[in-house]
Amino acid sequence: MKYKDEDPDNLGGLGGMLPAEVLKMLNELLEQMHRTGHINHGSKIEIVYVASGGQHVETQINIGAHPNEGSEEPTSVTPPPEAMARAVERTMAQGYWWASTAWAVVYRVYQMKGYTGGIRQFVREVKEWPWQRKPEYECTYDAVCKPIRSGKLTGMPDGWVMNGASSQYANLGQELLNEFQKLELQFQK
C-alpha cells in the first residue's frame, strides 16, 4: 500500500476507536454546530459509514430548528441550578415524569432558556444541582441523547407531537416552561 488512505485501518487520526465512539463524537460535533448556528434549520446531513469487510451502514440525521427559532419567546438568562432543580422536583411531584428519557425534555427546555452546554456536560451538572429530594429517575447520557437524536423535540413543546413525539414529552416541556416562568421572579431577586 502506497497511500495511507488505502489502509482500511487508518481512520484519519481516529485509529483504535470503536465505530460507536466515532459516531458519538460525530453526534456531539453536529449538536455543537447546530447550537452555534453553523447548521441551518431544515438541513440534512447524510453520514455513510462503511465498516471493514464492506459492511454498509447508512444513517441520515435531520437537523431541526434552533431551540428558539420560530418562537415568540426570547431566550432569557439561563436559569440557575436552583431553579432547574425546583422545576424538575415540582414536575415530578405533579406526575409529569414517566421514565429517565424525560430528562431529554429538561435538556431541551434548558437550551430554550439559554443553556449552551452539551449533553455530557448537562448530565454532569444535574448530579451537582441542589436537590431538596432525590429525583425519581436517573439522568444519564443515553436517557437524554436518544430522544434528542430522534429530532422529535425540535422547536417549542407545542409542536413536538406534530414532530412525532408522544404527548408526554410535550406536556412535560410545557409544564417546565410554566414552572420557569413562576420561578424567574423568585430567582431574579
Side-chain angles (χ1 to χ4, degrees):
M1 288 184 208
K2 294 181 182 179
Y3 304 102
K4 67 179 181 181
D5 43 333
E6 288 180 357
D7 181 3
D9 293 328
N10 183 345
L11 295 176
L14 300 174
M17 292 181 72
L18 296 172
E21 292 171 319
V22 174
L23 292 174
K24 279 185 180 181
M25 283 178 53
L26 180 60
N27 187 52
E28 288 174 357
L29 176 63
L30 289 171
E31 286 176 4
Q32 180 183 11
M33 290 174 67
H34 183 237
R35 278 194 312 276
T36 58
H38 289 91
I39 298 175
N40 296 327
H41 169 64
S43 298
K44 283 189 178 180
I45 298 175
E46 189 171 310
I47 301 164
V48 178
Y49 171 72
V50 180
S52 58
Q55 177 186 4
H56 179 255
V57 178
E58 184 176 323
T59 303
Q60 188 169 8
I61 300 174
N62 293 317
I63 305 298
H66 190 272
N68 288 303
E69 191 171 303
S71 116
E72 295 176 12
E73 185 175 326
T75 301
S76 59
V77 175
T78 305
E82 295 83 8
M84 294 299 299
R86 295 305 78 77
V88 167
E89 289 168 345
R90 289 179 185 179
T91 55
M92 279 186 180
Q94 295 165 353
Y96 284 97
W97 285 64
W98 65 96
S100 293
T101 54
W103 282 105
V105 176
V106 179
Y107 178 71
R108 284 293 295 127
V109 170
Y110 203 16
Q111 284 182 315
M112 289 176 205
K113 295 305 228 170
Y115 183 71
T116 58
I119 294 173
R120 290 186 194 283
Q121 180 180 347
F122 172 75
V123 170
R124 282 190 303 270
E125 289 178 12
V126 165
K127 290 177 183 6
E128 302 300 319
W129 286 353
W131 298 105
Q132 291 179 347
R133 327 177 202 135
K134 184 180 177 193
E136 296 174 43
Y137 301 99
E138 185 180 4
C139 181
T140 64
Y141 177 81
D142 283 343
V144 177
C145 189
K146 288 178 181 178
I148 295 295
R149 266 191 275 167
S150 73
K152 296 175 183 177
L153 303 182
T154 58
M156 296 300 288
D158 57 5
W160 293 353
V161 172
M162 289 181 57
N163 292 342
S166 75
S167 60
Q168 289 174 308
Y169 286 94
N171 293 340
L172 175 58
Q174 192 56 56
E175 191 56 32
L176 280 168
L177 287 173
N178 293 342
E179 288 297 331
F180 283 129
Q181 196 170 25
K182 294 175 196 172
L183 291 167
E184 266 181 337
L185 296 173
Q186 179 183 344
F187 284 99
Q188 285 179 353
K189 294 178 183 179

